[in-house]
């Protein structure tokens, strides 16, 4: 009985660790495919086609009796969601990761909650009380994540040596100097991708109020994203028809891996863990993906990790946890207020991961990169 209880307590931790390793693998295989010549435009198309094939059966079965009627307004919102997420966000992120590195991109994307917090604040979806410790934590967390990102961009410093990568550090400074313009372009791409992803969360929250069928909405976003990104890819690769040809190699593996592991499996596992331990527990494991990606990138892709990236990533992680702590306390206070008043209360935009169907009738909603989000939720990792 005691052993069974211990194993049951360990399962959520093990599940989240393995899931973060799975996300890190997505970063690595995607960048490996891109560096070997795969078009990121084509990768986005195939990725979303696989995600659609994975999500559509669940949407058709589980929401067959609750799916609202499609209207022109809802359709336009879905088009906007598809434009922000699969088309802009994924293409820009893949481009940025290819021009910088998998480790750098996975670290920089941790600024997403802060970007979303600022956007929600501007749109008055988030409330800040300057005298509240929780609001102060959110503000400090936002400032720290931005400061960490700026440090990563402006300061590289010496390469951090690893036992397995000593042979690859020669000429690192010269390589960085030569790739300076590409690095800056890649960094801008990742940041703009985060802004697009944040806009996706805001519009997603609004859309679900009039179309509360989360799985169906996810499948429709993936489908429309496939069509829209396909149109973009046809124009971008009009002179390179070979870009569409993939065999039984890393390119096919990347598309299938992203659709199955980072969409199907991730949705299910995060939903189970979120129901047992809460969304903040799930969010707390996000920086592990960054660490695993950096280590795997230095081993598999021979990427160099600079001191500036390490220091900036640490600052971002501290800011991330400050923001998460402030949001978690806000949610606790909202629950207490609702319980005390016996009614519902309009909520702020929570910085947490979403969940599968629960007692409140909510379902998971994920983007096509492998993260699950609550109805009004930005998360921090799981990119792509």
């Amino acid at each position: 009985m005691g052993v069974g209880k211990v194993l049951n307590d360990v399962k959520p931790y093990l599940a989240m660790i393995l899931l973060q390793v799975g996300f890190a693998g997505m970063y690595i295989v995607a960048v490996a495919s891109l560096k070997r010549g795969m078009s990121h435009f084509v990768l986005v198309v195939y990725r979303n086609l696989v995600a659609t094939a994975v999500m559509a059966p669940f949407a058709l079965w589980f929401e067959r009796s609750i799916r609202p009627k499609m209207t022109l307004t809802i359709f336009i919102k879905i088009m906007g969601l598809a434009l922000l997420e699969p088309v802009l966000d994924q293409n820009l992120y893949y481009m940025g990761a290819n021009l910088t590195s998998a480790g750098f991109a996975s670290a920089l994307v941790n600024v997403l909650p802060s970007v979303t917090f600022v956007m929600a604040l501007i749109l008055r979806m988030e409330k800040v009380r300057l005298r509240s410790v929780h609001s102060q934590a959110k503000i400090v967390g936002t400032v720290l994540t931005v400061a960490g990102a700026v440090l990563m961009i402006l300061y590289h410093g010496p390469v951090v040596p690893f036992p397995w990568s000593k042979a690859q550090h020669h000429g690192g400074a010269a390589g960085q100097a030569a790739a300076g313009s590409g690095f800056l372009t890649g960094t801008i791409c990742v940041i703009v991708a985060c802004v697009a992803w944040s806009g996706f969360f805001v519009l997603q929250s609004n859309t679900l109020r009039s179309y509360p069928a989360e799985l169906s909405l996810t499948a429709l976003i993936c489908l429309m994203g496939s069509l829209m990104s396909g149109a973009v890819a046809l124009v971008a690769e009009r002179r390179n028809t070979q870009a569409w040809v993939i065999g039984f190699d890393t390119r096919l593996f990347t598309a299938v891996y992203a659709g199955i592991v980072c969409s199907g499996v991730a949705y299910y596992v995060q939903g189970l863990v979120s129901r047992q331990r809460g969304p903040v527990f799930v969010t707390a494991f996000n920086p592990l993906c960054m660490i695993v990606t950096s280590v795997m990138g230095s081993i598999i892709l021979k990427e160099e990790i600079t001191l500036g990236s390490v220091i900036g990533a640490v600052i971002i992680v501290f800011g991330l946890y400050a923001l998460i702590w402030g949001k978690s306390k806000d949610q606790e206070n909202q629950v207490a207020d609702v319980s005390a008043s016996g009614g519902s209360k309009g909520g702020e935009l929570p910085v947490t991961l979403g969940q599968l169907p629960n007692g409140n009738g909510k379902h998971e909603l994920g983007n096509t990169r492998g993260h699950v989000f609550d109805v009004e939720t930005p998360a921090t990792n799981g990119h792509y």
Side-chain angles (χ1 to χ4, degrees):
M1 185 69 179
V3 176
K5 186 177 184 304
V6 171
L7 291 176
N8 191 57
D9 292 339
V10 170
K11 281 181 182 178
Y13 293 91
L14 183 61
M16 290 311 304
I17 291 173
L18 293 177
L19 195 59
Q20 298 306 318
V21 174
F23 288 144
M26 178 60 234
Y27 283 102
I28 299 302
V29 297
V31 172
S33 296
L34 293 173
K35 290 187 180 298
R36 292 181 181 179
M38 185 178 188
S39 168
H40 62 85
F41 295 108
V42 175
L43 174 57
V44 171
V45 177
Y46 288 148
R47 165 69 195 272
N48 284 280
L49 285 174
V50 174
T52 302
V54 171
M55 296 302 300
F58 293 98
L60 291 173
W61 176 257
F62 289 108
E63 296 180 343
R64 60 189 183 278
S65 59
I66 64 172
R67 191 179 301 110
K69 182 180 179 181
M70 179 63 65
T71 64
L72 179 60
T73 301
I74 294 174
F75 180 75
I76 293 174
K77 290 180 180 180
I78 292 174
M79 293 287 288
L81 289 168
L83 177 64
L84 287 171
E85 165 43 22
V87 179
L88 292 178
D89 182 21
Q90 289 187 27
N91 275 301
L92 288 172
Y93 176 81
Y94 282 137
M95 186 186 303
N98 187 35
L99 291 173
T100 55
S101 70
F104 179 88
S106 64
L108 189 59
V109 81
N110 279 297
V111 306
L112 177 66
S114 296
V115 175
T116 309
F117 171 71
V118 173
M119 187 175 293
L121 194 62
I122 294 174
L123 297 175
R124 297 183 180 181
M125 298 176 67
E126 183 79 29
K127 297 177 181 178
V128 172
R129 302 175 181 86
L130 296 180
R131 294 183 180 180
S132 169
V133 176
H134 310 146
S135 294
Q136 293 172 4
K138 291 188 290 185
I139 295 173
V140 170
T142 301
V143 172
L144 285 177
T145 54
V146 173
V150 171
L151 179 63
M152 291 176 63
I153 297 169
L154 299 181
Y155 174 69
H156 293 174
V159 174
V160 178
F162 290 101
W164 57 81
S165 58
K166 288 182 178 179
Q168 72 192 48
H169 291 153
H170 300 292
Q176 285 182 3
S181 59
F183 179 87
L184 180 60
T185 302
T187 301
I188 293 174
C189 286
V190 175
I191 293 175
V192 176
C194 288
V195 175
W197 200 7
S198 297
F200 172 85
F201 290 127
V202 174
L203 182 57
Q204 176 196 69
S205 173
N206 178 270
T207 304
L208 280 167
R209 293 171 187 166
S210 54
Y211 194 80
E214 293 83 354
L215 293 175
S216 297
L217 181 61
T218 301
L220 288 171
I221 291 172
C222 293
L223 176 60
M224 297 308 301
S226 301
L227 297 176
M228 295 173 69
S229 59
V232 173
L234 285 173
V235 175
E237 303 293 347
R238 61 188 181 278
R239 298 180 181 177
N240 182 22
T241 57
Q242 289 298 315
W244 293 91
V245 179
I246 59 174
F248 291 93
D249 52 19
T250 55
R251 293 171 295 180
L252 177 62
F253 177 77
T254 300
V256 175
Y257 181 101
I260 296 178
V261 175
C262 296
S263 292
V265 174
Y267 294 164
Y268 178 71
V269 172
Q270 284 187 314
L272 288 179
V273 175
S274 184
R275 278 209 305 264
Q276 293 179 12
R277 296 300 184 94
V280 175
F281 179 87
V282 177
T283 311
F285 285 82
N286 289 336
L288 179 60
C289 177
M290 174 186 65
I291 297 172
V292 175
T293 302
S294 298
V295 174
M296 291 175 64
S298 66
I299 297 174
I300 299 174
L301 302 177
K302 308 301 181 183
E303 294 179 345
E304 295 180 346
I305 302 175
T306 62
L307 181 61
S309 294
V310 173
I311 297 175
V314 171
I315 295 175
I316 288 175
V317 169
F318 275 109
L320 171 64
Y321 281 127
L323 189 59
I324 290 173
W325 180 83
K327 287 305 305 178
S328 66
K329 295 300 181 181
D330 278 349
Q331 289 175 307
E332 291 176 5
N333 292 341
Q334 288 175 16
V335 172
D337 291 343
V338 170
S339 299
S341 62
S344 61
K345 182 179 179 180
E348 301 172 359
L349 197 67
V351 185
T352 55
L353 289 175
Q355 50 202 24
L356 284 167
N358 58 21
N360 296 325
K362 289 185 180 180
H363 297 264
E364 63 180 6
L365 175 63
N367 73 347
T368 56
R369 280 173 305 230
H371 280 77
V372 200
F373 309 105
D374 198 327
V375 171
E376 300 176 347
T377 300
T380 54
N381 75 341
H383 239 54
Y384 325 89

